[in-house]
């Protein structure tokens, strides 16, 4: 590139974008270090296939959960715009035309999920209501000028057909210089006139159902908008509503009362507000867990600790479903990356086929599994020798164990749902109101050994007949959903329901007999009546014979208890569970629960931990002079009290830096060396102040105040 010129100047060389740094493919991470194995590529492909299936399921689930909300919103928009289309002279319509139709959409505090919801809502509105849908955020609209500019710029991009868009390109450049409601109204009139359905040759999209489609404005974070901007825009828009049909959608994260806090009555009276409530984020989480983890559709499962980490982050940090799904994806990736036998984490026929092609190293990995070793120890001596020596016998046994594991999961989830039906409505919910709480308890230990389970059984023994029959009917529906497994259980529950129904007929007969006895008792005098009643009371007290209902109820409780003890065993009791369950809780916690202060302390106190430079290795309490300047200054400041003398700190820094350096008189003088060290010290102190470890103090001019304690 030539740089010759008549006059001196500054020449700019643009970077060559072809010489970009190529990123490392994800599948290569499966081949690094201790995770290197011959099936790494297969594990990565399995991970990709499984995650695509889970991702598509979550997207389908999101559409189903938002369908009712979007349908009601679309119906509201269509009704709100009907008055504008009729152009009625009725007094009621004229009053209504002065009010802006407004949908208050309460989405909850999970703000990170709102973008996905609004994106789906915008697509639904454009496909069913109007092509003119604008979405604004508070950070884009600090004042009225920027508000109108963003509104106009997005509206100009929304056109009914391609031809009108081409014709308006010239108008767009002219109107961007001056943005006002008058220009918007004239633009809207021109666009709607050009798309008149009576004129031939104009094609209309499916979303433009009317001659004058409304303009929908979505304010994503209504609480963050400036009050003055909202008030001015609503007042101006209400005056032009007869020629610019506007519909507002407020995205609210907290409570609908925020509308009246931001807007005075004179402004809020210009809005015709209707409230829409989205599904609770906790209910959304329960549905996601039910479709992704509490099912046999996907073989991948989470251990108790990993699941608890993800749930705690959701409940105590952000209530974000998207972040929970990302954590689930990270767990899936960590499992396939760290567990060599995750190659078997696929559907059962494919897993059986892969077992036949396992190498000798993979067979040894199976023998090293703790669950498999416990299984081998329980077998006979001859079978133990065959499992440890014969590869063929090991593969056959592995196929059988893997099939048993899939059957175990099918029975496990059926009995878990049945137990949840019994315990979710009990007083104080000893086993939790949500099924995820019960699932975490069952993953951790034998649930029948807990005190909460014992108290739940006591409460079940006091249920009324109607409540018990209702729960049994729900359990029957659960077991009927999978007739291949636990088919006898469904028949047994049907027998219990039939016996409860037969008790009604017997109860009527007993009432008839007791009625005849009461009639006989009424014929006697008061003395004999009291005597007879006391004798009956004493007879009941001495006999203490349970009724038929109590006997049948006890049988039902014992039956459920037997199912729980037989099928709700913790997963770690099953052989080969390591192939399907992610147990990397520590690694997952490091990635998701970031501790920046601790990481910063580790980097400054022990730079070798991150830099991996052998020269930085040092004994505890020592300060190597080859360490970065900020590390030396940080270690020295840890030895000081609340106020640090800068002179003493500088002398100590200079002592450490020059401790092992050889003095070279020819290279520089001592004064020059001191100036360089002093400059390095000033830079290190400035960096520590920037990181928040120290700050200037007015108590003493040559001192700084220390801000952190306890090595953090």
């Amino acid at each position: 590139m030539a740089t010759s010129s008549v006059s001196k100047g500054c020449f700019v060389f643009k970077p060559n974008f072809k010489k970009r740094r190529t990123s490392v493919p994800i599948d290569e991470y499966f081949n690094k270090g201790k995770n290197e194995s011959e099936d790494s590529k297969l594990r990565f492909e399995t991970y990709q296939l499984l995650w695509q299936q889970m991702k598509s399921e979550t997207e389908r689930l999101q559409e189903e959960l938002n369908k009712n909300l979007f349908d009601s919103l679309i119906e509201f928009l269509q009704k709100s715009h009907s008055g504008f289309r009729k152009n009625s002279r009725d007094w009621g319509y004229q009053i209504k035309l002065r009010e802006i139709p407004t949908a208050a959409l309460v989405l909850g505090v999970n703000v990170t999920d709102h973008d996905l919801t609004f994106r789906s809502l915008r697509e639904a509105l454009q496909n069913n209501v109007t092509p003119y849908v604008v979405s604004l955020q508070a950070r884009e609209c600090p004042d009225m000028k920027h508000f109108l500019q963003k509104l106009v710029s997005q509206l100009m991009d929304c056109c009914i057909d391609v031809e009108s868009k081409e014709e308006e390109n010239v108008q767009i450049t002219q109107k961007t210089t001056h943005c006002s409601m008058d220009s918007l109204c004239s633009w809207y009139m021109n666009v709607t006139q050009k798309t008149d359905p009576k004129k031939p040759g104009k094609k209309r999209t499916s979303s433009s159902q009317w001659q004058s489609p409304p303009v929908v404005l979505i304010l994503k974070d209504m609480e963050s908008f400036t009050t003055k901007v909202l008030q001015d825009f609503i007042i101006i828009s209400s005056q032009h509503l007869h020629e610019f049909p506007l519909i507002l959608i407020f995205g609210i994260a907290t409570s609908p009362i925020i509308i009246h806090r931001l807007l005075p009555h004179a402004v809020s009276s210009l809005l015709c507000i209707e409230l829409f409530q989205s599904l609770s984020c906790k209910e959304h989480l329960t549905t996601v867990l039910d479709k992704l983890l509490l099912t046999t559709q996907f073989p991948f499962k989470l251990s108790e600790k990993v699941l608890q980490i993800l749930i705690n982050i959701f409940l105590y940090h952000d209530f974000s479903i998207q972040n929970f799904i990302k954590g689930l994806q990270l767990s899936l990736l960590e499992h396939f990356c760290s567990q060599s036998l995750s190659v078997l984490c696929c559907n059962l026929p494919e897993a059986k086929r892969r077992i036949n092609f396992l190498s000798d190293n993979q067979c040894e990995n199976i023998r090293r599994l703790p669950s498999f070793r416990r299984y081998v120890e329980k077998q006979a001596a001859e079978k133990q020798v065959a499992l440890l020596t014969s590869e063929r016998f090991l593969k056959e046994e592995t196929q059988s164990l893997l099939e048993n594991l899939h059957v175990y999961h099918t029975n496990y989830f059926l009995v878990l749902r049945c137990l949840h039906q019994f315990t979710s409505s009990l007083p104080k919910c000893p086993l939790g109101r949500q099924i995820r709480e019960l699932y975490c308890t069952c993953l951790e230990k034998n649930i029948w050994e807990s005190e909460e389970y014992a108290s739940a059984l006591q409460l079940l023994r006091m249920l009324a007949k109607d409540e018990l029959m209702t729960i049994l009917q729900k359990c029957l529906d659960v077991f009927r959903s999978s007739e291949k497994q636990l088919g006898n259980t469904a028949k047994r529950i049907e027998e219990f329901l039939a016996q409860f129904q037969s008790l009604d007929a017997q109860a009527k007969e007993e009432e008839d007999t007791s009625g005849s006895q009461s009639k006989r008792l009424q014929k006697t005098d008061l003395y004999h009546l009291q005597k007879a009643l006391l004798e009956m009371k004493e007879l009941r007290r001495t006999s203490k014979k349970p009724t038929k209902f109590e006997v049948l109820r006890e049988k039902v409780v014992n039956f459920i208890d037997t199912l729980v003890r037989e099928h709700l065993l913790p997963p770690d009791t099953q052989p080969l569970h390591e192939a399907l369950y992610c147990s990397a809780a520590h690694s997952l916690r490091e990635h998701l629960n970031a501790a920046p202060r601790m990481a910063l302390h580790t980097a400054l106190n022990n730079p070798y931990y991150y830099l991996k430079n052998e020269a930085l290795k040092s004994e505890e309490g020592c300060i190597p002079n080859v360490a970065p300047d900020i590390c030396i200054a940080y270690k020295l400041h840890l030895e000081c009290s609340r106020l640090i003398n800068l002179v003493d700190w500088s002398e100590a820094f200079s002592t450490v830096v020059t401790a092992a350096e050889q003095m070279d008189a020819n290279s520089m003088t001592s004064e020059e060396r001191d100036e360089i060290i002093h400059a390095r010290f000033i830079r290190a102190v400035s960096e520590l102040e920037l990181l928040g470890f120290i700050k200037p103090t007015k108590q003493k001019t040559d001192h700084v105040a220390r801000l952190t304690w306890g090595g953090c």
Side-chain angles (χ1 to χ4, degrees):
M1 185 179 298
T3 58
S4 60
S5 176
V6 176
S7 60
K8 295 182 180 180
C10 179
F11 300 91
V12 179
F13 298 91
K14 294 183 178 181
N16 188 1
F17 293 100
K18 296 181 180 180
K19 298 181 180 180
R20 288 182 177 178
R21 180 182 177 185
T22 57
S23 59
V24 181
I26 302 177
D27 54 351
E28 291 190 8
Y29 286 102
F30 281 71
N31 301 327
K32 290 187 177 182
K34 61 181 181 181
N35 301 325
E36 184 175 0
S37 61
E38 62 272 13
D39 60 351
S40 58
K41 184 178 180 180
L42 181 60
R43 283 190 286 124
F44 178 72
E45 294 174 353
T46 308
Y47 155 75
Q48 283 188 316
L49 177 61
L50 185 56
W51 172 242
Q52 287 299 325
Q53 295 174 354
M54 298 177 74
K55 184 179 179 181
S56 61
E57 181 67 19
T58 55
E59 293 174 352
R60 185 191 63 81
L61 181 62
Q62 185 75 26
E63 293 178 359
E64 291 181 359
L65 294 177
N66 290 334
K67 185 178 185 302
N68 295 332
L69 177 64
F70 290 173
D71 290 345
S72 58
L73 265 173
I74 291 173
E75 182 181 358
F76 166 74
L77 298 182
Q78 292 174 347
K79 289 181 179 179
S80 301
H81 192 59
S82 59
F84 182 84
R85 287 183 292 148
K86 289 180 180 178
N87 293 324
S88 175
R89 295 183 178 180
D90 184 55
W91 182 81
Y93 275 116
Q94 294 297 327
I95 294 297
K96 192 174 182 181
L97 282 178
R98 299 178 184 176
E99 298 180 351
I100 303 176
T102 305
L105 183 57
V106 182
L107 297 176
V109 296
N110 50 330
V111 182
T112 52
D113 296 338
H114 292 183
D115 288 339
L116 179 62
T117 304
F118 283 122
R119 198 180 308 124
S120 303
L121 175 61
R122 184 170 184 170
E123 293 177 359
L125 294 180
Q126 288 178 340
N127 294 331
N128 298 281
V129 179
T130 172
Y132 306 116
V133 182
V134 179
S135 179
L136 298 180
Q137 289 183 325
R139 65 172 181 265
E140 302 173 345
C141 311
D143 50 25
M144 194 64 186
K145 177 182 177 181
H146 290 85
F147 191 101
L148 288 177
Q149 285 180 354
K150 289 291 181 181
L151 176 61
V152 170
S153 62
Q154 291 194 33
L155 269 181
M156 296 304 182
D157 293 336
C158 305
C159 294
I160 295 180
D161 54 10
V162 180
E163 295 179 4
S164 61
K165 185 173 182 179
E166 293 176 353
E167 295 173 1
E168 291 158 11
N169 285 337
V170 180
Q171 300 177 2
I172 291 174
T173 57
Q174 297 175 355
K175 293 180 181 180
T176 51
T177 57
H178 178 68
C179 300
S180 63
M181 289 301 299
D182 293 334
S183 62
L184 278 176
C185 294
S186 59
W187 169 85
Y188 181 80
M189 295 265 309
N190 294 332
V191 171
T192 52
Q193 289 176 1
K194 291 177 182 178
T195 57
D196 192 345
K198 297 179 181 179
K199 296 180 180 180
K202 296 290 183 180
K203 297 182 180 179
R204 297 166 58 89
T205 60
S206 60
S207 62
S208 56
Q209 299 175 358
W210 311 311
Q211 179 180 355
S212 301
V215 176
V216 179
L217 175 59
I218 303 175
L219 304 182
K220 292 184 177 181
D221 45 350
M222 193 255 184
E223 295 95 336
S224 302
F225 275 87
T226 308
T227 304
K228 189 176 185 308
V229 173
L230 286 177
Q231 293 182 16
D232 294 345
F233 178 75
I234 292 173
I235 293 173
I236 296 173
S237 301
S238 63
Q239 298 174 358
H240 296 80
L241 197 60
H242 60 283
E243 53 185 356
F244 186 73
L246 177 68
I247 299 178
L248 297 177
I249 297 180
F250 290 158
I252 300 175
T254 52
S255 173
I257 200 173
I258 193 66
I259 298 177
H260 302 286
R261 289 180 180 177
L262 291 177
L263 305 176
H265 177 72
V267 179
S268 60
S269 60
L270 300 176
L271 303 177
C272 180
I273 303 175
E274 186 166 339
L275 184 64
F276 296 89
Q277 180 74 50
S278 66
L279 185 68
S280 171
C281 52
K282 291 185 179 180
E283 297 177 0
H284 197 167
L285 175 66
T286 302
T287 309
V288 169
L289 288 176
D290 184 67
K291 298 297 183 182
L292 295 184
L293 296 180
L294 304 182
T295 177
T296 56
Q297 180 181 358
F298 305 108
F300 175 72
K301 299 291 180 289
L302 299 178
S303 65
E304 186 272 335
K305 292 183 179 180
V306 173
L307 180 59
Q308 199 63 51
I309 289 174
L310 296 180
I311 292 178
N312 288 342
I313 293 176
F314 174 85
L315 294 178
Y316 300 113
H317 286 263
D318 51 13
F319 289 104
S320 173
I321 295 295
Q322 298 302 317
N323 290 346
F324 179 85
I325 294 175
K326 289 179 181 177
L328 183 62
Q329 181 185 9
L330 180 61
S331 305
L332 182 67
L333 181 61
E334 182 68 27
H335 176 66
F336 277 90
C337 184
S338 59
Q339 177 58 259
S340 59
L341 291 176
S342 59
V343 68
L344 303 179
C345 188
C346 55
N347 57 71
L348 185 58
E350 177 64 19
K352 287 185 175 181
R353 188 191 66 82
R354 292 182 180 182
I355 289 175
N356 295 325
F357 298 98
L358 291 179
S359 63
D360 296 342
N361 293 333
Q362 292 169 328
C363 291
E364 288 299 323
N365 291 334
I366 294 177
R367 294 188 178 104
R368 295 192 191 101
L369 292 178
S371 61
F372 187 78
R373 293 170 64 179
R374 289 193 298 268
Y375 171 76
V376 173
E377 292 173 357
K378 297 178 182 179
Q379 306 304 315
E382 297 179 355
K383 192 173 183 179
Q384 289 183 4
V385 174
L387 288 172
L388 297 177
T389 56
S390 175
E391 307 294 340
R392 180 179 179 182
F393 186 76
L394 175 65
K395 293 179 181 179
E396 294 176 356
E397 192 68 16
T398 302
Q399 290 179 343
S400 176
L401 292 175
L402 205 59
E403 184 176 359
N404 294 339
L405 187 58
H406 282 72
V407 174
Y408 158 80
H409 281 144
T410 304
N411 298 338
Y412 185 94
F413 294 129
L414 290 176
V415 177
L416 181 72
R417 298 180 192 278
C418 179
L419 180 61
H420 175 66
Q421 295 293 341
F422 272 92
T423 59
S424 59
S425 58
L426 292 178
K428 296 184 179 180
C429 299
L431 292 178
R433 189 178 301 274
Q434 302 291 338
I435 193 172
R436 66 170 184 269
E437 302 172 355
L438 179 62
Y439 182 49
C440 289
T441 306
C442 294
L443 288 176
E444 182 182 6
K445 58 185 177 181
N446 295 329
I447 190 173
W448 56 87
E449 297 177 354
S450 62
E451 297 180 359
E452 293 80 7
Y453 181 79
S455 62
L457 289 186
Q458 291 180 358
L459 294 173
L460 288 178
R461 292 187 174 95
M462 294 185 289
L463 286 178
K465 183 178 66 175
D466 296 338
E467 296 175 339
L468 201 57
M469 291 183 66
T470 303
I471 296 174
L472 284 175
Q473 185 61 45
K474 293 180 180 178
C475 292
L476 182 61
D477 297 337
V478 170
F479 285 109
R480 279 178 176 173
S481 62
S482 179
E483 298 180 354
K484 296 181 180 180
Q485 303 293 337
L486 298 177
N488 296 330
T489 304
K491 296 180 181 178
R492 188 73 185 277
I493 293 177
E494 290 178 351
E495 294 176 359
F496 282 133
L497 287 173
Q499 292 177 11
F500 276 116
Q501 293 174 356
S502 65
L503 288 178
D504 295 336
Q506 298 178 5
K508 291 181 180 179
E509 295 179 359
E510 292 179 358
E511 289 179 359
D512 295 338
T513 56
S514 62
S516 61
Q517 291 179 359
S518 62
K519 290 180 180 179
R520 290 196 299 269
L521 291 174
Q522 289 175 358
K523 295 178 182 179
T524 60
D525 55 4
L526 181 60
Y527 172 76
H528 290 89
L529 177 62
Q530 290 179 346
K531 185 178 179 181
L533 291 175
L534 290 173
E535 290 177 355
M536 292 172 61
K537 182 179 179 181
E538 184 67 18
L539 182 62
R540 291 178 181 177
R541 188 180 66 82
T542 54
S543 61
K544 291 184 180 180
K545 185 177 180 181
T547 62
K548 294 182 179 179
F549 167 70
E550 293 174 347
V551 174
L552 187 56
R553 182 175 59 187
E554 185 68 22
K555 290 182 180 179
V556 172
V557 175
N558 292 336
F559 173 71
I560 298 300
D561 185 37
T562 304
L563 284 178
V564 170
R565 294 175 181 270
E566 183 178 356
H567 298 289
L568 286 189
L569 295 169
D572 54 9
T573 61
Q574 305 299 314
L576 302 182
H577 74 275
E578 293 92 344
L580 306 183
Y581 280 81
C582 174
S583 58
H586 179 70
S587 176
L588 193 67
R589 187 182 291 109
E590 288 183 347
H591 290 298
L592 297 180
N593 282 349
R597 294 178 64 184
M598 187 57 64
L600 191 59
H601 170 73
T602 304
L604 297 178
N605 194 43
N606 183 19
Y608 174 77
Y609 183 83
Y610 291 106
L611 299 180
K612 303 301 181 184
N613 188 349
E614 295 295 331
L616 297 177
K617 276 189 175 181
S618 62
E619 299 179 359
E620 187 176 357
C622 298
I623 305 177
N625 69 308
V626 294
D629 294 341
I630 188 175
C631 297
I632 298 175
Y634 178 78
K635 278 195 168 186
L636 291 173
H637 113 285
L638 292 178
E639 302 174 357
C640 301
S641 58
R642 188 176 66 87
L643 294 179
I644 306 175
N645 190 324
L646 287 174
V647 177
D648 298 339
W649 196 5
S650 176
E651 292 179 355
F653 180 83
S654 177
T655 303
V656 173
V657 170
T658 60
E661 291 184 356
Q662 294 181 357
M663 301 297 295
D664 190 357
N666 297 327
S667 61
M668 65 177 68
T669 63
S670 60
E671 293 181 358
E672 294 177 351
R673 179 175 56 84
D674 292 340
E675 289 179 358
I676 293 176
I677 294 177
H678 185 65
R680 291 166 58 184
F681 172 74
I682 293 176
R683 183 177 61 182
V685 171
S686 301
E687 291 173 349
L688 289 177
E689 182 182 358
L690 179 64
L691 293 175
F693 289 102
I694 58 174
K695 72 172 183 178
T697 177
K698 295 182 180 180
Q699 296 181 7
K700 294 183 180 181
T701 56
D702 57 344
H703 285 64
V704 292
R706 182 178 172 185
L707 300 179
T708 58
W709 304 92
C712 59

